[in-house]
Amino acid sequence: MITKNIAILTSGGDSPGMNSSIFGAFTACQNNELHLWGILNGYDGLIDNKFIEIDYQLLAGRINRGGSILKSGRSKRFLKSNHFKTAISNLKKNQIDALIIVGGDGSLKGAMKLRDNGIKVICLPGTIDNDLDFTYTIGFDTATNNIVNAIDNITDSLSSFGYGAVIKIMGNQCTDLIDTVADAIHTNLLVKSKDFDINSLVKSIKTRYDGNHLPPIVLVLEESANIEDLCTVLQEKCKIQFRPHILGYIQRGGTPSAFDRRYGFTAGKSAVESILRKKYNCAIGLIGDRLSSKEIENCFKF
Ligand code: F6P
């Protein structure tokens, strides 16, 4: 069978570099006279038959922006068998020969379901969480830098007033973001699970903070603690004012780093080239500094 039509979708939390993946896939399709179809809104678009042909006009001015030009989603409907069947029949109706899925662990699970029902898939690891078993996922580098830059800004104000901060960091159940940021901002004040030891946190703050150097910055992974309550407790015990900060989508959005653009682009291109070599039903991502493919089953860290 000759490959003519490839489709691509982005799913789950958007990650900076997803657009570069789309551009990489588009470039390889152009080089090989293939059509690249974008599916809008993640797996929901498969169900709703939202297929659009990707061309230069769609990409113009948006390739190096964050977010996803195809939009994303966490589709609950895709898990229901009637909607799943519709998704499969839409792929067939649109004569899609293979589907590229850019997303995190939930998206890869969806990809396995499609594969098990005869659809040819290739996954690219797109998530800021770094919770897939590649050296990095697309978007992790940018998110790390976004967080460090935001904390640098916060630090200027904290230092002027002698305050500390408690800052909530994304990552879902994966600690890679919070650990990498902690190293980069030189803090060892981390709350990564609900059963953290408040006394040892207070002790570390008291030992380390002398009022002259870096302010005490406590990083909290997602829902491990209520950051307002934690500020109140630390204020009482350490006699320093603590300010809560939720960085939210400042972490996930924004211009992708050079690393994530290159990673996204080369992975997208490689996905199409792999399909042309008739190698599909795998995931392609960085292992060390090389793009490698592995079984989708072997990509999960949790
Ligand atoms: O998967 C990326 C991520 O940003 C996680 O770090 C976080 O747990 C989740 O998405 C937040 O999801 P939402 O899009 O619902 O805010």
Side-chain angles (χ1 to χ4, degrees):
M1 193 197 70
I2 299 168
T3 302
K4 287 198 195 117
N5 292 300
I6 293 179
I8 185 165
L9 63 81
T10 54
S11 158
D14 51 283
S15 69
M18 278 180 161
N19 290 331
S20 304
S21 305
I22 298 164
F23 186 49
F26 176 71
T27 303
C29 284
Q30 290 280 297
N31 293 343
N32 292 283
E33 294 175 12
L34 304 172
H35 295 281
L36 181 66
W37 298 87
I39 294 154
L40 299 177
N41 311 324
Y43 288 120
D44 274 332
L46 276 185
I47 299 165
D48 300 330
N49 202 24
K50 300 265 185 211
F51 289 63
I52 51 167
E53 182 151 17
I54 295 183
D55 56 16
Y56 282 111
Q57 213 181 336
L58 179 81
L59 294 165
R62 300 160 82 187
I63 295 163
N64 290 329
R65 304 285 302 273
S68 168
I69 56 175
L70 294 176
K71 302 186 189 295
S72 195
R74 302 185 200 274
S75 177
K76 293 213 168 67
R77 288 188 298 154
F78 192 67
L79 304 172
K80 302 223 162 83
S81 76
N82 56 331
H83 292 303
F84 182 74
K85 277 184 196 146
T86 311
I88 299 265
S89 104
N90 283 336
L91 281 163
K92 292 191 173 148
K93 216 162 58 192
N94 288 290
Q95 300 183 318
I96 301 303
D97 300 307
L99 173 64
I100 301 169
I101 292 147
V102 193
D105 56 359
S107 314
L108 266 59
K109 283 179 188 140
M112 290 197 299
K113 216 172 146 199
L114 287 170
R115 174 202 63 192
D116 294 344
N117 284 273
I119 303 298
K120 297 183 176 85
V121 296
I122 294 233
C123 300
L124 304 180
T127 165
I128 65 164
D129 295 342
N130 216 39
D131 58 354
L132 292 170
D133 199 18
F134 288 99
T135 306
Y136 297 108
T137 52
I138 300 163
F140 175 74
D141 180 65
T142 307
T144 306
N145 282 296
N146 286 345
I147 299 168
V148 168
N149 290 335
I151 294 178
D152 281 349
N153 290 355
I154 290 167
T155 302
D156 288 344
S157 284
L158 295 175
S159 306
S160 307
F161 283 85
Y163 294 163
V166 174
I167 303 179
K168 186 161 150 176
I169 305 292
M170 281 182 168
N172 203 357
Q173 43 186 339
C174 184
T175 60
D176 288 15
L177 257 185
I178 196 169
D179 288 337
T180 308
V181 168
D183 287 346
I185 65 158
H186 319 304
T187 186
N188 61 353
L189 308 172
L190 297 176
V191 174
K192 299 198 272 190
S193 69
K194 286 199 164 104
D195 60 355
F196 73 99
D197 181 350
I198 184 73
N199 294 327
S200 89
L201 181 63
V202 168
K203 195 169 161 213
S204 304
I205 293 170
K206 285 185 173 166
T207 315
R208 189 182 158 110
Y209 186 58
D210 64 2
N212 294 315
H213 296 90
L214 290 170
I217 294 180
V218 181
L219 302 181
V220 174
L221 177 65
E222 298 261 4
E223 308 305 326
S224 307
N226 176 306
I227 62 168
E228 279 86 8
D229 293 350
L230 184 55
C231 281
T232 309
V233 173
L234 292 177
Q235 246 156 244
E236 276 166 25
K237 291 187 184 277
C238 302
K239 310 290 175 226
I240 304 166
Q241 281 212 41
F242 276 83
R243 291 287 156 99
H245 290 79
I246 297 175
L247 300 183
Y249 292 157
I250 283 174
Q251 302 165 85
R252 220 159 77 182
T255 307
S257 64
F259 179 89
D260 281 325
R261 291 184 205 187
R262 179 165 183 259
Y263 185 3
F265 181 82
T266 52
K269 202 159 165 275
S270 202
V272 171
E273 288 161 358
S274 180
I275 292 165
L276 288 173
R277 288 195 309 273
K278 303 211 179 309
K279 182 160 173 29
Y280 14 71
N281 299 340
C282 57
I284 297 177
L286 279 182
I287 299 180
D289 58 2
R290 294 179 71 93
L291 281 178
S292 309
S293 80
K294 62 200 293 187
E295 295 284 316
I296 306 173
E297 272 80 356
N298 296 336
C299 291
F300 301 96
K301 279 192 194 166
F302 298 94

